[in-house]
């Protein structure tokens, strides 16, 4: 036995002996002829909890840990810590509070999130640790556990900020860390035929939301977030931000808004709609699988021989070989050759459906509405201040939490106001119909209209959108923070950060565009000010094209976010440039090479005196104003590289959302039809993809977006054969990446 194994065994024995002294279950008679197992504390239970805490703290700076795995292996949380908390759930004495607090001090390090994306914290860990975390979370979601732990912060929060002790601040931070750790444990990916325990682990996040709302934890988080601008809650805003990110990570605002609006009486309709969607999807998949199979009238068998260019013969004995694609028959038994190719990164956001209960979605919707009403401005304003001050508590992973949650609430805000405007229009139409009926039935001699006429200004105020709810996001500082971090993340190749920042900036642009059309003049002025500052910097416009140019093997989520941002940016920038006939952008000058010769010993004192004035002058002269022309900027997207990147995403045309397909079709139409740049599509890879889409069009859903895409593909192929008829060498040039022929343009 080596020295490391001997030390590990010694630590395990120490943990086992200490946990045995905590207590255990004993059978006690609770009634005549009735016995029940009751947890009984040991004589030194509180001291043993403190010993375990000291043991864990001793290994906090050690890479290889032995105490925490031993605690998880011995099931200390399920067999000791949770029973101790439940034993003191109704004990309001000082001793009971000390026991619960001692348990929480152990629960926080035992459920600390495993971060695999941090290079500085990249350590070896037990692969079974995540399964143990899920078992811990399942045990902690039991009744009366969260209520007891949440009760620890009631006393410290009731004390004024200046009168709180260090112990009070530690208790509040410890409880918030516990809630953060609980929400950070991911659900298990389990199928419907899994065991009962696996199915419960598959929807623990949903149960967490329900328990948070039942125990008042959600109200506590909202209260802390609404007071983030005050000094008594500013230090916890980052922890609350991560909790909200974990809760909203795998759910879309549209699902929350629509799922939370369903009443209990409409559950049957919702289930029938879900069943209809599942049947429709099943039919689509079945059509794809059987599109090349023979009909039931085909009673003849046979073999089909295909002779290749190399002389080899491929024989197929399947009847569907007469109808299938030639490339599909030749590659049916081939495996994809991935030699020399980098593995594509995996998506980390919206990878699975977390919430299926209408009750959980309803609670999330109520939380989002409360957040927008009383939390959004103060919460994100405090976070923006921390980012600008470069506060140490705001770490690099927190940028993902910040951008994702802001984008999520802005999308929910847009859905909320769209629904309000739609209801207002319906009410207006109803009033007009009733008003017309009254006019028809009005007796002769009666003057005037029935009811007071609503003036136009009041009608605009009722139907307009109140953007004061998201005033902290509609601030130029929020836009600059997003652009600045997007550039930093792009240079450092933090692709997940670039993805969430791009999504957030896209939603910011959409909100600003809607605010510019608001009836209130103050909202229009703010939108004009923000847009003029964003488009004034030429470096900002170059950032958008760099998102596409630097695409290599990032995830499909990154590519989809980039495509959506490009679509929104080009559309809004074109509208803004048409609105302003003369538009200026500030571009940095190219540094000129100056020869520095002469004597090395000069008057250094005189140079130091004028250094400040020269720096200011150089900074002013470093930029130059240029007249912005949208057509010149648009030419950067009229390249074969942009089309190639878009075709990488279009390869998944069967599973892409209609919004993404519309963005791809819109850019293709802008390039080929609007700007008459055709040669970028005349590539063998692009034409092969278009041919594949046309072959499978019969099995694809007949939506308007898909019809527009197919219509463009047919137009592109007609133009290709038309150009090839005029210039036959085009059939050869399509094989090359960058043909230099002028006749293909």
């Amino acid at each position: 036995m080596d020295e490391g194994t001997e030390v590990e065994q010694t630590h395990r024995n120490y943990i086992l002996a200490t946990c045995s002294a905590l207590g255990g279950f004993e059978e006690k008679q609770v009634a005549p002829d009735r016995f029940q197992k009751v947890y009984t504390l040991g004589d030194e239970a509180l001291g043993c909890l403190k010993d375990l805490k000291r043991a864990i703290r001793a290994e906090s700076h050690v890479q290889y840990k032995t105490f925490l795995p031993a605690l998880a292996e011995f099931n200390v949380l399920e067999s000791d810590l949770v029973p101790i908390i439940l034993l003191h759930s109704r004990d309001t004495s000082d001793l009971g509070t000390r026991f619960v607090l001692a348990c929480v001090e152990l629960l926080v390090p035992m459920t600390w999130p495993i971060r695999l994306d941090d290079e500085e914290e990249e350590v070896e860990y037990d692969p079974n640790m995540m399964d143990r975390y899920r078992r811990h979370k399942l045990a902690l979601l039991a009744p009366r556990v969260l209520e007891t732990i949440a009760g620890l912060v009631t006393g410290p929060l009731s004390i004024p900020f200046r009168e709180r002790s260090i112990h009070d601040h530690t208790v509040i931070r410890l409880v918030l860390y516990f809630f953060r750790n609980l929400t950070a444990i991911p659900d298990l990916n389990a199928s419907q035929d899994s065991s009962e325990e696996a199915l419960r682990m598959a929807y623990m996040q949903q149960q967490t939301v329900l328990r948070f709302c039942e125990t008042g934890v959600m109200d506590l988080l909202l209260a802390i977030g609404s007071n983030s601008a005050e000094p008594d809650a500013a230090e916890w805003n980052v922890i609350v931000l991560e909790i909200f990110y974990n809760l909203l990570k795998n759910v879309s605002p549209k699902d929350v808004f629509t799922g939370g609006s369903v009443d209990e009486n409409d559950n049957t309709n919702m289930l029938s709609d879900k069943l209809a969607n599942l049947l429709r999807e099943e039919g689509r998949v079945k059509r794809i699988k059987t599109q090349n199979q023979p009909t039931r009238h085909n009673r003849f068998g046979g073999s089909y021989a295909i002779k290749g260019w190399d002389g080899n013969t491929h024989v197929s004995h399947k009847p569907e070989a007469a109808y299938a694609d030639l490339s599909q028959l030749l590659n049916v038994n081939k495996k994809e050759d991935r030699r020399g190719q980098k593995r594509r990164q995996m998506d980390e956001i919206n990878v699975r459906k977390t919430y299926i209960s209408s009750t959980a979605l309803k609670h999330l919707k109520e939380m989002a509405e409360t957040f927008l009403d009383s939390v959004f401005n103060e919460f994100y304003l405090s976070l923006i201040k921390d980012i600008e001050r470069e506060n140490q508590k705001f770490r690099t992973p927190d940028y993902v939490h910040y951008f994702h949650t802001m984008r999520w609430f802005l999308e929910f805000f847009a859905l909320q106001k769209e629904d309000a405007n739609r209801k207002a229009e319906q009410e207006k139409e109803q009033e007009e119909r009733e008003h017309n009926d009254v006019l028809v039935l009005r007796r002769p001699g009666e003057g005037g209209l029935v009811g007071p006429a609503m003036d136009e200004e009041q009608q605009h105020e009722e139907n307009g959108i109140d953007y004061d709810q998201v005033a902290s996001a509609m601030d130029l500082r929020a836009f600059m923070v997003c652009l600045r971090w997007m550039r930093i993340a792009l240079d450092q190749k933090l692709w997940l950060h670039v993805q969430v920042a791009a999504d957030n900036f896209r939603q910011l642009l959409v909100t600003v565009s809607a605010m510019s059309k608001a009836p209130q003049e103050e909202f229009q002025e703010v939108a004009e000010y923000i847009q003029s500052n964003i488009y004034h910097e030429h470096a900002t416009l170059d950032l958008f094209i760099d998102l596409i140019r630097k695409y290599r093997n990032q995830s499909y989520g990154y590519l989809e976010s980039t495509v959506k941002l490009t679509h929104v940016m080009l559309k809004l920038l074109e509208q803004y440039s048409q609105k302003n006939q003369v538009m200026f952008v500030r571009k940095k000058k190219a540094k000129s090479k100056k020869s520095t010769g002469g004597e090395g010993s000069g008057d250094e004192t005189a140079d130091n005196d004028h250094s400040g004035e020269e720096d200011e002058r150089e900074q002013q002269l470093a930029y130059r104003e240029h007249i912005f022309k949208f057509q010149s900027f648009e030419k950067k997207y009229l390249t074969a590289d942009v089309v190639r990147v878009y075709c990488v995403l279009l390869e998944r045309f069967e599973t892409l959302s209609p919004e993404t397909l519309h963005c791809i079709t819109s850019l293709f139409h802008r390039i080929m039809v609007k700007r008459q740049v055709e040669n970028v599509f005349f590539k063998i890879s692009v034409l092969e993809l278009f041919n594949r889409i046309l072959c499978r069009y019969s099995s694809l859903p007949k939506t308007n977006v898909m019809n527009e895409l197919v219509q463009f593909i047919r137009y592109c192929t007609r133009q290709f054969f038309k150009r090839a008829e005029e210039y036959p060498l085009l059939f050869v040039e399509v094989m090359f990446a960058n043909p230099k022929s002028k006749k293909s343009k």
Side-chain angles (χ1 to χ4, degrees):
M1 181 180 296
D2 56 353
E3 183 178 356
T5 307
E6 185 177 356
V7 172
E8 181 180 357
Q9 187 63 34
T10 304
H11 290 176
R12 288 170 55 87
N13 295 337
Y14 175 78
I15 292 294
L16 184 59
T18 307
C19 294
S20 300
L22 284 174
F25 287 93
E26 297 180 357
E27 289 189 356
K28 287 188 177 182
Q29 186 175 3
V30 295
D33 299 334
R34 183 184 174 188
F35 293 88
Q36 184 179 0
K37 286 187 176 182
V38 180
Y39 190 86
T40 305
L41 289 173
D43 297 335
E44 300 293 336
L46 188 60
C48 293
L49 291 174
K50 293 182 179 179
D51 291 341
L52 293 176
K53 173 187 172 183
R54 281 191 287 267
I56 295 175
R57 183 178 296 177
E59 282 190 339
S60 59
H61 300 290
V62 181
Q63 182 177 0
Y64 184 75
K65 304 182 185 302
T66 56
F67 288 117
L68 286 176
L71 289 173
E73 184 179 354
F74 296 147
N75 295 325
V76 178
L77 189 145
E78 294 91 336
S79 60
D80 291 299
L81 298 184
V82 172
I84 292 175
I85 294 175
L86 295 177
L87 186 64
H88 297 88
S89 59
R90 295 183 176 88
D91 188 2
T92 58
S93 62
D94 186 27
L95 182 61
T97 305
R98 290 171 61 188
F99 267 105
V100 176
L101 182 59
C103 292
V104 175
E105 289 176 344
L106 293 178
L107 291 176
V108 171
M110 289 177 65
T111 58
W112 197 262
I114 301 175
R115 303 188 184 276
L116 301 179
D117 52 345
D118 285 350
E119 298 180 357
E120 54 189 17
E121 298 181 4
E122 188 175 356
V123 297
E124 296 182 0
Y125 73 100
D126 187 0
N128 298 321
M129 187 62 69
M130 188 57 67
D131 182 64
R132 295 167 183 168
Y133 273 28
R134 294 190 179 101
R135 296 182 185 276
H136 293 346
K137 183 175 182 178
L138 201 60
L140 292 170
L141 293 177
R144 295 179 17 228
V145 175
L146 295 182
E147 293 92 331
T148 307
I149 296 176
L152 293 175
V153 300
T154 305
L157 287 176
S158 61
I159 302 174
F161 174 72
R162 297 184 180 275
E163 298 179 7
R164 290 177 193 165
S165 61
I166 298 178
H167 178 266
D168 296 332
H169 287 282
T170 304
V171 171
I172 298 173
R173 189 181 299 107
L174 198 66
V175 173
L176 290 178
Y177 274 137
F178 169 74
F179 293 145
R180 189 277 311 268
N181 298 349
L182 200 65
T183 57
I185 300 175
D187 291 346
L188 178 67
N189 290 328
S191 59
Q192 295 298 327
D193 56 350
S194 302
S195 62
E196 182 180 358
E197 185 181 11
L199 288 177
R200 284 193 296 164
M201 289 184 180
Y203 298 101
M204 288 189 299
Q205 199 75 327
Q206 175 178 276
Q207 186 67 20
T208 303
V209 172
L210 296 176
R211 295 287 296 135
F212 275 14
C213 295
E214 292 172 359
T215 58
V217 175
M218 194 70 74
D219 296 333
L220 172 65
L221 297 175
L222 292 173
I224 294 176
S226 62
N227 294 302
S228 297
E230 303 296 331
D232 56 344
E235 59 177 317
W236 308 312
N237 55 357
V238 177
I239 307 176
V240 176
L241 172 68
E242 188 172 357
I243 295 175
F244 283 126
Y245 169 77
N246 294 330
L247 294 178
L248 305 175
K249 181 180 180 181
N250 292 320
V251 61
S252 65
K254 187 176 182 180
D255 292 341
V256 173
F257 188 80
T258 56
S261 302
V262 178
D263 298 332
E264 295 181 359
N265 299 329
D266 297 335
N267 283 337
T268 304
N269 297 332
M270 185 182 66
L271 292 176
S272 62
D273 293 340
K274 288 184 178 179
L275 180 60
N277 294 332
L278 290 175
L279 291 175
R280 194 180 302 111
E281 180 66 20
E282 183 181 4
R284 186 186 67 83
V285 174
K286 186 177 180 180
R287 286 194 303 270
I288 294 175
K289 292 181 178 180
T290 60
Q291 60 181 349
N292 293 324
Q293 292 186 359
T295 63
R296 62 186 179 90
H297 302 287
N298 189 352
R299 302 173 183 174
F300 303 98
S303 300
Y304 300 90
I306 304 172
K307 191 171 183 179
W309 294 99
D310 54 357
N312 296 329
T313 303
H314 176 78
V315 180
S316 177
H317 302 283
K318 297 181 179 180
E320 57 266 22
Y323 309 96
D325 188 12
L326 185 62
S327 60
Q328 184 178 357
L329 291 175
L330 295 176
N331 301 328
V332 64
N333 295 324
K334 283 186 178 180
K335 293 184 179 180
E336 184 180 1
D337 188 7
R338 298 189 57 88
R339 291 177 296 181
Q341 299 181 11
K342 292 184 178 180
R343 186 177 297 274
R344 191 179 304 277
Q345 296 181 358
M346 300 294 293
D347 292 327
E348 301 183 31
I349 298 178
N350 293 331
V351 293
R352 67 184 303 270
K353 195 170 184 179
T354 307
Y355 304 97
I356 60 174
S357 172
S358 59
T359 307
L361 294 174
K362 184 178 180 180
H363 285 310
L364 284 177
K365 182 179 180 182
E366 294 174 354
M367 181 272 295
E369 292 174 349
T370 306
F371 191 94
L372 288 172
D373 291 337
S374 58
V375 181
F376 189 93
N377 288 329
E378 291 79 5
F379 185 64
Y380 284 105
L381 184 60
S382 65
L383 291 171
I384 291 174
K385 290 181 179 179
D386 291 338
I387 295 174
E388 291 177 343
R389 290 195 298 258
E390 298 183 359
N391 198 320
Q392 294 182 355
K393 69 178 181 179
F394 202 94
R395 302 171 297 113
T396 301
D398 295 325
Y399 283 96
V400 176
H401 311 153
Y402 168 80
F403 292 127
H404 180 76
T405 54
M406 178 180 282
R407 190 268 310 168
W408 197 96
F409 285 112
L410 286 176
E411 285 188 8
F412 187 88
F413 172 78
L415 293 171
Q416 190 179 26
K417 298 310 176 182
E418 286 177 7
D419 184 69
N421 290 340
R422 183 170 58 252
K423 290 180 179 179
E425 291 178 359
Q426 293 176 357
E427 292 177 359
K428 183 180 177 181
E429 293 176 358
Q430 182 68 21
E431 290 177 358
E432 289 179 355
R433 286 195 297 265
E434 294 177 357
H435 175 66
N436 294 332
D437 295 340
V438 171
L439 288 178
V440 172
L441 298 176
R442 185 168 58 89
R443 291 177 299 178
E446 292 182 352
L449 301 177
V450 178
M454 181 184 298
D455 60 341
E456 186 177 358
E457 184 178 356
Q458 182 181 358
Q459 182 178 357
H460 280 316
E461 290 180 357
E462 291 188 2
N463 295 341
I465 298 179
D466 184 14
Y467 291 95
D468 291 334
Q469 289 182 318
V470 292
S472 60
M474 295 297 99
D475 189 359
L476 186 60
R477 292 189 298 173
F479 286 81
M480 292 298 106
V481 165
C482 186
L483 290 172
R484 190 182 307 114
W485 184 251
M486 198 188 306
R487 169 56 69 183
I488 294 174
L490 192 65
D491 295 339
Q492 297 180 1
K493 298 182 180 181
L494 303 175
W495 305 122
L496 179 61
H497 292 248
V498 178
Q499 176 184 343
V500 294
D503 286 335
N504 180 46
F505 194 77
R506 170 179 56 85
Q507 194 59 37
L508 288 173
L509 289 178
V510 171
T511 309
V512 165
S513 176
M515 190 167 64
S516 63
K517 302 174 184 177
Q520 293 85 351
E521 293 184 1
E522 55 180 353
F523 292 151
Q524 296 179 6
E525 293 176 357
V526 173
E528 177 67 24
Y529 173 75
I530 292 175
Q531 288 180 308
S532 61
N533 281 272
I534 291 175
Y535 302 140
H536 182 64
E537 293 291 339
H538 194 274
T540 301
L541 302 178
D542 289 340
L543 174 62
F544 299 133
I545 189 63
D546 288 342
L547 295 177
I548 300 178
R549 288 174 177 172
K550 293 192 176 183
Y551 175 78
R552 294 296 179 270
N553 291 284
Q554 292 87 328
S555 63
Y556 285 111
Y558 168 89
L559 187 54
E560 192 169 351
S561 301
T562 303
V563 167
K564 291 180 179 179
L565 175 60
T566 303
H567 172 74
V568 173
M569 185 272 304
L570 286 176
K571 183 178 179 180
L572 297 183
L573 182 58
E574 185 177 14
Q575 294 177 358
Y576 186 80
S577 61
Q578 292 175 355
K579 179 181 176 182
N580 299 273
Q581 297 180 356
V582 180
M583 180 178 169
F584 292 93
V585 294
R586 190 176 69 162
K587 187 176 181 181
K588 195 173 184 179
K589 287 184 179 181
K591 294 183 179 180
S592 58
K593 297 181 180 180
K594 297 182 179 180
S595 58
T596 57
E599 299 179 358
S601 60
D603 192 1
E604 297 181 358
T605 305
D607 292 342
N608 293 331
D609 293 338
H610 298 283
S611 60
E613 298 178 359
E614 292 179 358
D615 292 342
E616 294 180 0
R617 183 174 179 80
E618 288 180 0
Q619 186 175 2
Q620 294 177 358
L621 298 178
Y623 293 90
R624 185 178 180 182
E625 298 284 344
H626 295 267
I627 297 178
F628 177 77
K629 294 182 179 180
F630 180 77
Q631 290 77 10
S632 300
F633 173 75
E634 192 181 27
K635 288 181 179 179
K636 298 181 180 180
Y637 290 89
L638 312 181
T639 60
D641 292 335
V642 174
V643 174
R644 176 187 59 81
V645 173
Y646 271 63
C647 287
V648 171
L649 184 60
L650 190 58
E651 290 280 350
R652 307 175 67 206
F653 61 91
E654 296 178 348
T655 58
L656 286 179
S657 63
E659 182 184 0
T660 307
L661 285 175
H662 173 69
C663 296
I664 296 175
T665 308
S666 176
L667 185 70
F668 285 176
H669 183 273
R670 179 187 295 271
I671 295 175
M672 188 168 194
V673 180
K674 197 173 181 179
R675 299 305 174 194
Q676 298 295 322
V677 180
E678 301 176 350
N679 63 312
V680 294
F681 293 97
F682 298 162
K683 304 289 186 296
I684 190 64
S685 58
V686 178
L687 295 175
E688 188 274 333
L689 174 61
F690 287 173
N691 179 65
R692 204 180 333 141
I693 295 175
L694 291 176
C695 292
R696 299 183 185 178
Y697 177 61
S698 59
S699 61
L700 295 175
K702 302 301 184 294
T703 59
N704 294 332
V705 177
M706 185 59 67
N707 293 336
E708 292 176 358
L709 176 62
V710 172
Q711 184 178 0
F712 169 80
I713 292 175
R714 289 171 177 170
Y715 172 79
C716 179
T717 52
R718 285 197 300 267
Q719 292 298 112
F720 171 74
F721 288 109
K722 182 179 179 180
R723 297 292 184 270
E725 186 178 358
E726 300 173 356
Y727 182 65
L729 286 179
L730 185 60
F731 288 107
V732 179
E733 292 184 354
V734 295
M735 302 293 180
F736 299 93
N738 295 310
K740 298 181 180 180
S741 173
K742 297 181 180 180
K743 295 187 178 182
S744 62
K745 296 182 181 180

